[in-house]
Amino acid sequence: MGFARTCSVALVGVEGVVVEVQADLEPGVAAFTLVGLPDKSLTESKDRVRAAVVNSGASWPSKKLTVGLSPASVPKAGSGFDLAIACAVLGAAERIDPRVLADIVMIGELGLDGRVRPVRGVLPAVLAAADAGYEQVVVPECAAAEASLVPGVSVLGIRSLRQLIAVLTDEPVPEEEPDEQGRPDPLLAGLRVPGTGAATGMHLGTGRHEQDHDLADVVGQRSARTAVEVSAAGGHHLFLEGPPGAGKTMLAERLPAVLPRLTREESLEVTAVHSVAGLLPPGKPLIGVAPYCAPHHSATMQSLVGGGQGIARPGAVSLAHRGVLFLDEAPEFHGQTLDALRQPLESGHVVIARSAGVVRFPARFLMVLAANPCPCGRFSRRDTLCECPPSAIRRYQARLSGPLLDRVDLRVEVDPVTRAQLTEPGARGESTATVSDRVREARERAAARLVGTPWRTNSEVPGRELRGTWHAATGAMDEAERNLERGVLTARGLDRVLRVAWTVADLAGHDRPDATDVALALQLRTGVPRGVPMAIGALT
């Protein structure tokens, strides 16, 4: 008779639950029973663990073996329990001292040859272990850098079960045979899930991307450039409407580089989501820049907000957390798919209920919508090139529901670029570096004003707090309030105008919004000219 226990972590969304892995050996017919709500991949670990133990030079016990995963009420999924199960079995067989295993959290998949392979979600798993008071964690060697991001935890990275047995028994640690020169390390294969990278339109702000996407490349478009700057400074959602080729996609692709770099806390949030999704690039354990996600308009509701079989997986809104979600050709998305964004746009998170459990993913993203004004794309108030009948134009524009657009702070018409603008010497606008400096300073002003509150940007501040604590200048909101009375603005829209006005004031260096700041916010919200300059520099 033998008994041993160690620990691992079960992930439910991006939150982890420490699971005690218990192994019990009893006299009787040799059998291996795994209990504690395991899924299919975890049930198959019995064969993987047995082969890994034998191929690591240890003996497999020929007794009745029961492995329990506690708490039994929490669903367990994935192959990340393999390492803990193997060590618990070896502890029950007295190959390893059971006392050594009791306070160690082990995360990793075992190959049949005993090598330890990486799994998704190492960072949130180690965060959960640290919150539960554990100080020692064993992970695959290639995931050790990711696990080391958590302070106060001692991380041991290993390449094989053989090495871990040697460490736990104070034996000489064997050297693993290196892979053939020039061939990719097969242990890195588990860090990414096939079919989840390019299909989501993801990029994580690499230096090469920022060099190839500079705001100076955008010709003209003063109003749209101002809207992009205000959007980045305050975290406001943006709607760009204009004909094909006007520069809507160019502006959206350059927005992530304008955003400030992520703080340490934000980086851990973003990295945890991408780790669970299997999108964390090897060799880059911490994401320090705003992510960018641009799903195709054929994306389903599950791919956008999250879902899937069993425990739900993060969708595009969570992959864009603390970054940009760009929906190009927005009217081509299914109406119900777009309307599913209304709840995360307000709350900053998404809750997905499935039969296997309820998960909560962060979704504090900056949404950019881009659309043509009509099916042919040439409708404009300034010319008559459009050949679409009025009914077709109304049906096309109605694909974006009113409740969704009411949650968008900035709505800008992107005009076609003229020949004069393209050929004019010195037509290039301000660079990304220049605009991002102003955005950073505006965010610092907002952060100083919001210190001691749970909010970081103007877009997050509730309307009641804006009206009760941070007032605009006397009389500055009169025109906005008249728009509310005429039905041009909703009550939510009035609050959003005040939020944008505070962002404009931060960019202009004003202590609080004046009538000019509110007029620009109204112009960016309604598209109606208010007689104010569209360049931020003209307001200072």
Side-chain angles (χ1 to χ4, degrees):
M1 177 179 177
F3 177 84
R5 63 183 180 86
T6 187
C7 294
S8 190
V9 178
L11 288 177
V12 183
V14 292
E15 299 175 353
V17 178
V18 175
V19 173
E20 188 175 76
V21 181
Q22 304 169 340
D24 179 70
L25 284 174
E26 297 285 349
V29 178
F32 188 170
T33 304
L34 182 62
V35 297
L37 284 184
D39 73 340
K40 180 65 174 177
S41 61
L42 183 50
T43 302
E44 293 174 349
S45 68
K46 295 188 291 186
D47 298 320
R48 291 194 301 269
V49 170
R50 182 186 291 109
V53 169
V54 172
N55 290 326
S56 297
S59 299
W60 185 260
S62 299
K63 296 182 180 180
K64 180 182 178 182
L65 171 62
T66 303
V67 173
L69 308 175
S70 179
S73 59
V74 177
K76 290 90 178 174
S79 55
F81 295 86
D82 289 4
L83 193 60
I85 292 174
C87 289
V89 171
L90 292 174
E94 298 183 350
R95 175 66 177 86
I96 301 174
D97 187 350
R99 294 172 296 180
V100 176
L101 301 173
D103 296 325
I104 301 178
V105 174
M106 301 184 181
I107 304 164
E109 175 187 332
L110 286 175
L112 300 184
D113 57 356
R115 288 189 297 177
V116 181
R117 306 181 68 87
V119 294
R120 290 174 290 142
V122 168
L123 176 59
V126 177
L127 284 169
D131 290 342
Y134 290 87
E135 299 178 351
Q136 293 179 296
V137 177
V138 178
V139 298
E141 185 181 60
C142 51
E146 180 183 348
S148 299
L149 297 173
V150 181
V153 176
S154 174
V155 177
L156 173 63
I158 57 169
R159 291 186 66 88
S160 68
L161 178 60
R162 186 184 300 109
Q163 287 183 338
L164 180 57
I165 293 173
V167 171
L168 296 177
T169 56
D170 291 329
E171 298 175 359
V173 179
E175 292 290 337
E176 294 295 331
E177 296 182 3
D179 296 308
E180 295 183 24
Q181 190 71 21
R183 295 189 62 184
D185 190 345
L187 294 183
L188 296 177
L191 286 177
R192 292 184 71 90
V193 179
T196 58
T200 60
M202 287 291 305
H203 78 69
L204 299 175
T206 59
R208 179 65 181 173
H209 178 89
E210 293 178 2
Q211 293 174 7
D212 294 340
H213 295 76
D214 195 294
L215 266 177
D217 300 332
V218 180
V219 177
Q221 309 299 358
R222 174 178 293 183
S223 298
R225 290 173 61 94
T226 299
V228 166
E229 182 175 347
V230 173
S231 175
H236 304 288
H237 306 304
L238 174 62
F239 177 37
L240 300 172
E241 185 181 48
K248 302 185 296 295
T249 302
M250 289 181 65
L251 288 162
E253 289 177 340
R254 284 149 181 78
L255 181 53
V258 179
L259 294 172
R261 291 188 64 86
L262 302 178
T263 64
R264 174 75 176 187
E265 181 182 354
E266 292 171 341
S267 295
L268 289 176
E269 292 176 3
V270 173
T271 302
V273 174
H274 285 76
S275 178
V276 169
L279 290 172
L280 198 60
K284 296 181 179 179
L286 186 66
I287 299 174
V289 294
Y292 172 85
C293 187
H296 190 259
H297 61 256
S298 62
T300 63
M301 186 185 301
Q302 289 75 19
S303 67
L304 205 59
V305 301
Q309 296 181 349
I311 298 295
R313 298 276 301 280
V317 298
S318 298
L319 297 177
H321 179 60
R322 301 295 179 189
V324 176
L325 176 66
F326 177 45
L327 303 181
D328 200 5
E329 304 295 344
E332 302 299 332
F333 282 81
H334 194 277
Q336 291 183 343
T337 301
L338 287 178
D339 285 339
L341 299 175
R342 285 150 57 176
Q343 182 256 339
L345 284 173
E346 289 289 332
S347 63
H349 64 267
V350 58
V351 178
I352 305 171
R354 294 290 185 270
S355 59
V358 179
V359 298
R360 182 181 186 273
F361 291 114
R364 181 69 67 182
F365 57 91
L366 195 163
M367 182 180 68
V368 180
L369 300 172
N372 295 325
C374 66
C376 77
R378 294 180 293 179
F379 174 75
S380 174
R381 301 182 182 90
R382 298 176 178 84
D383 54 51
T384 58
L385 297 176
C386 177
E387 299 177 354
C388 301
S391 59
I393 296 174
R394 287 195 299 270
R395 283 195 302 269
Y396 188 81
Q397 294 180 348
R399 293 181 182 179
L400 299 178
S401 68
L404 175 66
L405 291 179
D406 196 44
R407 290 166 167 83
V408 178
D409 299 341
L410 311 173
R411 308 175 193 176
V412 178
E413 185 174 342
V414 183
D415 298 323
V417 179
T418 64
R419 176 183 177 183
Q421 290 174 326
L422 282 174
T423 58
E424 180 183 359
R428 288 168 62 91
E430 292 179 312
S431 67
T432 295
T434 301
V435 176
S436 63
D437 286 342
R438 286 202 300 266
V439 168
R440 187 187 67 255
E441 293 173 0
R443 287 220 174 188
E444 289 173 354
R445 292 189 186 99
R449 183 172 63 252
L450 299 174
V451 65
T453 71
W455 312 298
R456 307 180 187 184
T457 60
N458 292 321
S459 63
E460 300 175 18
V461 182
R464 65 180 183 277
E465 296 292 337
L466 284 172
R467 295 189 299 270
T469 306
W470 294 287
H471 303 279
T474 303
M477 293 294 293
D478 290 348
E479 181 63 24
E481 291 168 358
R482 284 193 289 269
N483 277 262
L484 175 65
E485 293 175 354
R486 291 196 298 265
V488 177
L489 294 176
T490 64
R492 180 195 289 125
L494 182 66
D495 288 341
R496 292 184 177 274
V497 167
L498 183 53
R499 292 189 186 108
V500 175
W502 267 108
T503 301
V504 173
D506 289 334
L507 284 167
H510 300 163
D511 293 334
R512 57 177 178 167
D514 57 21
T516 304
D517 298 328
V518 175
L520 179 55
L522 271 172
Q523 185 166 329
L524 291 172
R525 169 82 181 179
T526 64
V528 178
R530 306 282 173 171
V532 293
M534 288 299 295
I536 294 296
L539 302 178
T540 56

